[in-house]
PDB file of all heavy atoms in Angstrom:
ATOM      1  N   ALA A 737      97.964 155.093  93.526  1.00 94.00           N
ATOM      2  CA  ALA A 737      97.736 154.442  94.819  1.00 94.00           C
ATOM      3  C   ALA A 737      96.280 154.042  94.968  1.00 94.00           C
ATOM      4  O   ALA A 737      95.384 154.746  94.498  1.00 94.00           O
ATOM      5  CB  ALA A 737      98.132 155.372  95.948  1.00 94.00           C
ATOM      6  N   SER A 738      96.064 152.929  95.629  1.00 91.00           N
ATOM      7  CA  SER A 738      94.713 152.426  95.815  1.00 91.00           C
ATOM      8  C   SER A 738      94.015 153.051  97.007  1.00 91.00           C
ATOM      9  O   SER A 738      92.800 152.973  97.128  1.00 91.00           O
ATOM     10  CB  SER A 738      94.756 150.910  96.021  1.00 91.00           C
ATOM     11  OG  SER A 738      95.474 150.594  97.206  1.00 91.00           O
ATOM     12  N   GLU A 739      94.770 153.671  97.877  1.00 78.00           N
ATOM     13  CA  GLU A 739      94.264 154.129  99.151  1.00 78.00           C
ATOM     14  C   GLU A 739      93.518 155.453  99.019  1.00 78.00           C
ATOM     15  O   GLU A 739      94.049 156.422  98.484  1.00 78.00           O
ATOM     16  CB  GLU A 739      95.425 154.288 100.138  1.00 78.00           C
ATOM     17  CG  GLU A 739      95.048 154.781 101.503  1.00 78.00           C
ATOM     18  CD  GLU A 739      94.060 153.862 102.203  1.00 78.00           C
ATOM     19  OE1 GLU A 739      94.263 152.636 102.217  1.00 78.00           O
ATOM     20  OE2 GLU A 739      93.068 154.386 102.748  1.00 78.00           O
ATOM     21  N   ARG A 740      92.287 155.489  99.574  1.00 78.00           N
ATOM     22  CA  ARG A 740      91.510 156.729  99.505  1.00 78.00           C
ATOM     23  C   ARG A 740      92.105 157.823 100.380  1.00 78.00           C
ATOM     24  O   ARG A 740      91.871 158.996 100.154  1.00 78.00           O
ATOM     25  CB  ARG A 740      90.069 156.458  99.929  1.00 78.00           C
ATOM     26  CG  ARG A 740      89.251 155.695  98.895  1.00 78.00           C
ATOM     27  CD  ARG A 740      87.861 155.449  99.398  1.00 78.00           C
ATOM     28  NE  ARG A 740      87.855 154.562 100.557  1.00 78.00           N
ATOM     29  CZ  ARG A 740      86.768 154.266 101.252  1.00 78.00           C
ATOM     30  NH1 ARG A 740      85.614 154.807 100.935  1.00 78.00           N
ATOM     31  NH2 ARG A 740      86.835 153.451 102.278  1.00 78.00           N
ATOM     32  N   THR A 741      92.873 157.397 101.396  1.00 81.00           N
ATOM     33  CA  THR A 741      93.521 158.391 102.260  1.00 81.00           C
ATOM     34  C   THR A 741      94.951 158.642 101.791  1.00 81.00           C
ATOM     35  O   THR A 741      95.855 158.834 102.595  1.00 81.00           O
ATOM     36  CB  THR A 741      93.516 157.911 103.717  1.00 81.00           C
ATOM     37  OG1 THR A 741      94.159 156.630 103.800  1.00 81.00           O
ATOM     38  CG2 THR A 741      92.101 157.811 104.238  1.00 81.00           C
ATOM     39  N   PHE A 742      95.135 158.606 100.504  1.00 84.00           N
ATOM     40  CA  PHE A 742      96.446 158.825  99.878  1.00 84.00           C
ATOM     41  C   PHE A 742      97.112 160.078 100.405  1.00 84.00           C
ATOM     42  O   PHE A 742      98.326 160.105 100.602  1.00 84.00           O
ATOM     43  CB  PHE A 742      96.250 158.918  98.360  1.00 84.00           C
ATOM     44  CG  PHE A 742      97.473 159.309  97.595  1.00 84.00           C
ATOM     45  CD1 PHE A 742      98.519 158.420  97.424  1.00 84.00           C
ATOM     46  CD2 PHE A 742      97.585 160.571  97.011  1.00 84.00           C
ATOM     47  CE1 PHE A 742      99.653 158.764  96.692  1.00 84.00           C
ATOM     48  CE2 PHE A 742      98.696 160.930  96.292  1.00 84.00           C
ATOM     49  CZ  PHE A 742      99.733 160.033  96.118  1.00 84.00           C
ATOM     50  N   ASN A 743      96.326 161.124 100.675  1.00 83.00           N
ATOM     51  CA  ASN A 743      96.924 162.381 101.107  1.00 83.00           C
ATOM     52  C   ASN A 743      97.427 162.326 102.549  1.00 83.00           C
ATOM     53  O   ASN A 743      97.919 163.325 103.062  1.00 83.00           O
ATOM     54  CB  ASN A 743      95.960 163.551 100.907  1.00 83.00           C
ATOM     55  CG  ASN A 743      94.671 163.367 101.681  1.00 83.00           C
ATOM     56  OD1 ASN A 743      94.465 162.355 102.324  1.00 83.00           O
ATOM     57  ND2 ASN A 743      93.806 164.350 101.639  1.00 83.00           N
ATOM     58  N   ASN A 744      97.315 161.178 103.197  1.00 88.00           N
ATOM     59  CA  ASN A 744      97.898 161.006 104.526  1.00 88.00           C
ATOM     60  C   ASN A 744      99.335 160.508 104.469  1.00 88.00           C
ATOM     61  O   ASN A 744      99.981 160.372 105.515  1.00 88.00           O
ATOM     62  CB  ASN A 744      97.081 159.995 105.345  1.00 88.00           C
ATOM     63  CG  ASN A 744      95.741 160.567 105.773  1.00 88.00           C
ATOM     64  OD1 ASN A 744      95.514 161.772 105.704  1.00 88.00           O
ATOM     65  ND2 ASN A 744      94.848 159.706 106.200  1.00 88.00           N
ATOM     66  N   TYR A 745      99.811 160.217 103.262  1.00 92.00           N
ATOM     67  CA  TYR A 745     101.110 159.581 103.112  1.00 92.00           C
ATOM     68  C   TYR A 745     102.109 160.512 102.439  1.00 92.00           C
ATOM     69  O   TYR A 745     101.792 161.153 101.435  1.00 92.00           O
ATOM     70  CB  TYR A 745     100.996 158.312 102.272  1.00 92.00           C
ATOM     71  CG  TYR A 745     100.199 157.208 102.927  1.00 92.00           C
ATOM     72  CD1 TYR A 745      98.816 157.179 102.836  1.00 92.00           C
ATOM     73  CD2 TYR A 745     100.837 156.206 103.641  1.00 92.00           C
ATOM     74  CE1 TYR A 745      98.081 156.180 103.445  1.00 92.00           C
ATOM     75  CE2 TYR A 745     100.111 155.197 104.253  1.00 92.00           C
ATOM     76  CZ  TYR A 745      98.735 155.188 104.153  1.00 92.00           C
ATOM     77  OH  TYR A 745      98.020 154.198 104.759  1.00 92.00           O
ATOM     78  N   ALA A 746     103.312 160.536 102.985  1.00 95.00           N
ATOM     79  CA  ALA A 746     104.433 161.089 102.242  1.00 95.00           C
ATOM     80  C   ALA A 746     104.810 160.057 101.188  1.00 95.00           C
ATOM     81  O   ALA A 746     104.703 158.853 101.425  1.00 95.00           O
ATOM     82  CB  ALA A 746     105.615 161.364 103.159  1.00 95.00           C
ATOM     83  N   MET A 747     105.242 160.524 100.043  1.00 96.00           N
ATOM     84  CA  MET A 747     105.572 159.618  98.944  1.00 96.00           C
ATOM     85  C   MET A 747     107.023 159.791  98.532  1.00 96.00           C
ATOM     86  O   MET A 747     107.576 160.896  98.620  1.00 96.00           O
ATOM     87  CB  MET A 747     104.661 159.883  97.747  1.00 96.00           C
ATOM     88  CG  MET A 747     103.177 159.686  98.021  1.00 96.00           C
ATOM     89  SD  MET A 747     102.784 157.984  98.476  1.00 96.00           S
ATOM     90  CE  MET A 747     103.176 157.129  96.938  1.00 96.00           C
ATOM     91  N   GLY A 748     107.603 158.716  98.066  1.00 97.00           N
ATOM     92  CA  GLY A 748     108.987 158.782  97.632  1.00 97.00           C
ATOM     93  C   GLY A 748     109.226 157.959  96.387  1.00 97.00           C
ATOM     94  O   GLY A 748     108.428 157.071  96.049  1.00 97.00           O
ATOM     95  N   TRP A 749     110.292 158.294  95.701  1.00 98.00           N
ATOM     96  CA  TRP A 749     110.777 157.503  94.567  1.00 98.00           C
ATOM     97  C   TRP A 749     112.203 157.056  94.890  1.00 98.00           C
ATOM     98  O   TRP A 749     113.021 157.848  95.371  1.00 98.00           O
ATOM     99  CB  TRP A 749     110.796 158.324  93.272  1.00 98.00           C
ATOM    100  CG  TRP A 749     109.459 158.557  92.653  1.00 98.00           C
ATOM    101  CD1 TRP A 749     108.660 159.650  92.811  1.00 98.00           C
ATOM    102  CD2 TRP A 749     108.762 157.693  91.748  1.00 98.00           C
ATOM    103  NE1 TRP A 749     107.513 159.511  92.076  1.00 98.00           N
ATOM    104  CE2 TRP A 749     107.549 158.318  91.410  1.00 98.00           C
ATOM    105  CE3 TRP A 749     109.045 156.442  91.203  1.00 98.00           C
ATOM    106  CZ2 TRP A 749     106.623 157.741  90.539  1.00 98.00           C
ATOM    107  CZ3 TRP A 749     108.124 155.861  90.332  1.00 98.00           C
ATOM    108  CH2 TRP A 749     106.925 156.512  90.009  1.00 98.00           C
ATOM    109  N   PHE A 750     112.450 155.803  94.614  1.00 98.00           N
ATOM    110  CA  PHE A 750     113.778 155.224  94.744  1.00 98.00           C
ATOM    111  C   PHE A 750     114.102 154.505  93.438  1.00 98.00           C
ATOM    112  O   PHE A 750     113.212 154.244  92.625  1.00 98.00           O
ATOM    113  CB  PHE A 750     113.811 154.212  95.912  1.00 98.00           C
ATOM    114  CG  PHE A 750     113.711 154.853  97.266  1.00 98.00           C
ATOM    115  CD1 PHE A 750     112.489 155.309  97.748  1.00 98.00           C
ATOM    116  CD2 PHE A 750     114.829 155.005  98.065  1.00 98.00           C
ATOM    117  CE1 PHE A 750     112.387 155.911  98.992  1.00 98.00           C
ATOM    118  CE2 PHE A 750     114.739 155.597  99.321  1.00 98.00           C
ATOM    119  CZ  PHE A 750     113.519 156.049  99.774  1.00 98.00           C
ATOM    120  N   ARG A 751     115.356 154.183  93.264  1.00 98.00           N
ATOM    121  CA  ARG A 751     115.735 153.420  92.084  1.00 98.00           C
ATOM    122  C   ARG A 751     116.822 152.428  92.449  1.00 98.00           C
ATOM    123  O   ARG A 751     117.563 152.626  93.407  1.00 98.00           O
ATOM    124  CB  ARG A 751     116.207 154.348  90.958  1.00 98.00           C
ATOM    125  CG  ARG A 751     117.504 155.088  91.241  1.00 98.00           C
ATOM    126  CD  ARG A 751     117.801 156.076  90.119  1.00 98.00           C
ATOM    127  NE  ARG A 751     119.070 156.773  90.327  1.00 98.00           N
ATOM    128  CZ  ARG A 751     119.530 157.737  89.527  1.00 98.00           C
ATOM    129  NH1 ARG A 751     118.820 158.111  88.471  1.00 98.00           N
ATOM    130  NH2 ARG A 751     120.689 158.307  89.782  1.00 98.00           N
ATOM    131  N   GLN A 752     116.893 151.376  91.646  1.00 98.00           N
ATOM    132  CA  GLN A 752     117.908 150.355  91.877  1.00 98.00           C
ATOM    133  C   GLN A 752     118.439 149.860  90.543  1.00 98.00           C
ATOM    134  O   GLN A 752     117.668 149.340  89.721  1.00 98.00           O
ATOM    135  CB  GLN A 752     117.342 149.189  92.691  1.00 98.00           C
ATOM    136  CG  GLN A 752     118.403 148.208  93.138  1.00 98.00           C
ATOM    137  CD  GLN A 752     117.921 147.290  94.239  1.00 98.00           C
ATOM    138  OE1 GLN A 752     116.725 147.134  94.460  1.00 98.00           O
ATOM    139  NE2 GLN A 752     118.848 146.694  94.966  1.00 98.00           N
ATOM    140  N   ALA A 753     119.728 150.051  90.357  1.00 97.00           N
ATOM    141  CA  ALA A 753     120.405 149.562  89.160  1.00 97.00           C
ATOM    142  C   ALA A 753     120.970 148.168  89.443  1.00 97.00           C
ATOM    143  O   ALA A 753     121.201 147.820  90.601  1.00 97.00           O
ATOM    144  CB  ALA A 753     121.513 150.525  88.768  1.00 97.00           C
ATOM    145  N   PRO A 754     121.209 147.389  88.412  1.00 92.00           N
ATOM    146  CA  PRO A 754     121.741 146.033  88.615  1.00 92.00           C
ATOM    147  C   PRO A 754     123.040 146.055  89.402  1.00 92.00           C
ATOM    148  O   PRO A 754     123.955 146.819  89.098  1.00 92.00           O
ATOM    149  CB  PRO A 754     121.964 145.537  87.184  1.00 92.00           C
ATOM    150  CG  PRO A 754     121.003 146.304  86.358  1.00 92.00           C
ATOM    151  CD  PRO A 754     120.926 147.663  86.994  1.00 92.00           C
ATOM    152  N   GLY A 755     123.094 145.235  90.431  1.00 94.00           N
ATOM    153  CA  GLY A 755     124.300 145.125  91.230  1.00 94.00           C
ATOM    154  C   GLY A 755     124.533 146.260  92.206  1.00 94.00           C
ATOM    155  O   GLY A 755     125.579 146.310  92.861  1.00 94.00           O
ATOM    156  N   LYS A 756     123.566 147.169  92.307  1.00 96.00           N
ATOM    157  CA  LYS A 756     123.724 148.310  93.212  1.00 96.00           C
ATOM    158  C   LYS A 756     122.615 148.327  94.247  1.00 96.00           C
ATOM    159  O   LYS A 756     121.577 147.704  94.075  1.00 96.00           O
ATOM    160  CB  LYS A 756     123.729 149.617  92.418  1.00 96.00           C
ATOM    161  CG  LYS A 756     124.920 149.767  91.490  1.00 96.00           C
ATOM    162  CD  LYS A 756     124.960 151.147  90.878  1.00 96.00           C
ATOM    163  CE  LYS A 756     126.190 151.331  90.009  1.00 96.00           C
ATOM    164  NZ  LYS A 756     126.258 152.702  89.425  1.00 96.00           N
ATOM    165  N   GLU A 757     122.861 149.072  95.318  1.00 96.00           N
ATOM    166  CA  GLU A 757     121.857 149.216  96.352  1.00 96.00           C
ATOM    167  C   GLU A 757     120.754 150.167  95.907  1.00 96.00           C
ATOM    168  O   GLU A 757     120.949 150.999  95.011  1.00 96.00           O
ATOM    169  CB  GLU A 757     122.496 149.733  97.636  1.00 96.00           C
ATOM    170  CG  GLU A 757     123.460 148.758  98.269  1.00 96.00           C
ATOM    171  CD  GLU A 757     123.956 149.234  99.621  1.00 96.00           C
ATOM    172  OE1 GLU A 757     123.645 150.378 100.008  1.00 96.00           O
ATOM    173  OE2 GLU A 757     124.659 148.455 100.294  1.00 96.00           O
ATOM    174  N   ARG A 758     119.601 150.041  96.554  1.00 97.00           N
ATOM    175  CA  ARG A 758     118.507 150.955  96.256  1.00 97.00           C
ATOM    176  C   ARG A 758     118.913 152.375  96.652  1.00 97.00           C
ATOM    177  O   ARG A 758     119.443 152.600  97.735  1.00 97.00           O
ATOM    178  CB  ARG A 758     117.248 150.513  96.992  1.00 97.00           C
ATOM    179  CG  ARG A 758     115.993 151.213  96.554  1.00 97.00           C
ATOM    180  CD  ARG A 758     114.755 150.481  97.025  1.00 97.00           C
ATOM    181  NE  ARG A 758     114.626 149.172  96.378  1.00 97.00           N
ATOM    182  CZ  ARG A 758     113.532 148.424  96.437  1.00 97.00           C
ATOM    183  NH1 ARG A 758     112.478 148.850  97.120  1.00 97.00           N
ATOM    184  NH2 ARG A 758     113.482 147.253  95.844  1.00 97.00           N
ATOM    185  N   GLU A 759     118.620 153.315  95.761  1.00 97.00           N
ATOM    186  CA  GLU A 759     119.057 154.703  95.927  1.00 97.00           C
ATOM    187  C   GLU A 759     117.872 155.640  96.038  1.00 97.00           C
ATOM    188  O   GLU A 759     116.908 155.545  95.270  1.00 97.00           O
ATOM    189  CB  GLU A 759     119.916 155.111  94.713  1.00 97.00           C
ATOM    190  CG  GLU A 759     120.360 156.546  94.704  1.00 97.00           C
ATOM    191  CD  GLU A 759     121.009 156.960  93.384  1.00 97.00           C
ATOM    192  OE1 GLU A 759     120.866 156.218  92.397  1.00 97.00           O
ATOM    193  OE2 GLU A 759     121.637 158.027  93.338  1.00 97.00           O
ATOM    194  N   PHE A 760     117.952 156.552  96.983  1.00 98.00           N
ATOM    195  CA  PHE A 760     116.913 157.571  97.131  1.00 98.00           C
ATOM    196  C   PHE A 760     116.934 158.525  95.943  1.00 98.00           C
ATOM    197  O   PHE A 760     118.006 159.013  95.539  1.00 98.00           O
ATOM    198  CB  PHE A 760     117.118 158.345  98.424  1.00 98.00           C
ATOM    199  CG  PHE A 760     116.305 159.597  98.514  1.00 98.00           C
ATOM    200  CD1 PHE A 760     114.930 159.531  98.708  1.00 98.00           C
ATOM    201  CD2 PHE A 760     116.903 160.845  98.385  1.00 98.00           C
ATOM    202  CE1 PHE A 760     114.170 160.681  98.788  1.00 98.00           C
ATOM    203  CE2 PHE A 760     116.152 162.002  98.466  1.00 98.00           C
ATOM    204  CZ  PHE A 760     114.787 161.923  98.660  1.00 98.00           C
ATOM    205  N   VAL A 761     115.749 158.822  95.418  1.00 98.00           N
ATOM    206  CA  VAL A 761     115.628 159.753  94.294  1.00 98.00           C
ATOM    207  C   VAL A 761     114.934 161.044  94.730  1.00 98.00           C
ATOM    208  O   VAL A 761     115.469 162.137  94.547  1.00 98.00           O
ATOM    209  CB  VAL A 761     114.861 159.111  93.127  1.00 98.00           C
ATOM    210  CG1 VAL A 761     114.603 160.123  92.022  1.00 98.00           C
ATOM    211  CG2 VAL A 761     115.621 157.907  92.580  1.00 98.00           C
TER     212      VAL A 761
END
């Protein structure tokens, strides 16, 4: 992340397979 206040943010990972909706990881 470019942001110096990175520790102010919750972070998440998602994924998206072809033809499918974005999925929470």
Side-chain angles (χ1 to χ4, degrees):
S738 63
E739 179 59 47
R740 286 179 295 175
T741 57
F742 173 73
N743 59 357
N744 288 346
Y745 294 84
M747 300 298 294
W749 285 96
F750 290 77
R751 67 186 182 184
Q752 189 164 18
K756 294 188 177 181
E757 294 187 353
R758 192 164 294 192
E759 176 189 14
F760 167 72
V761 174

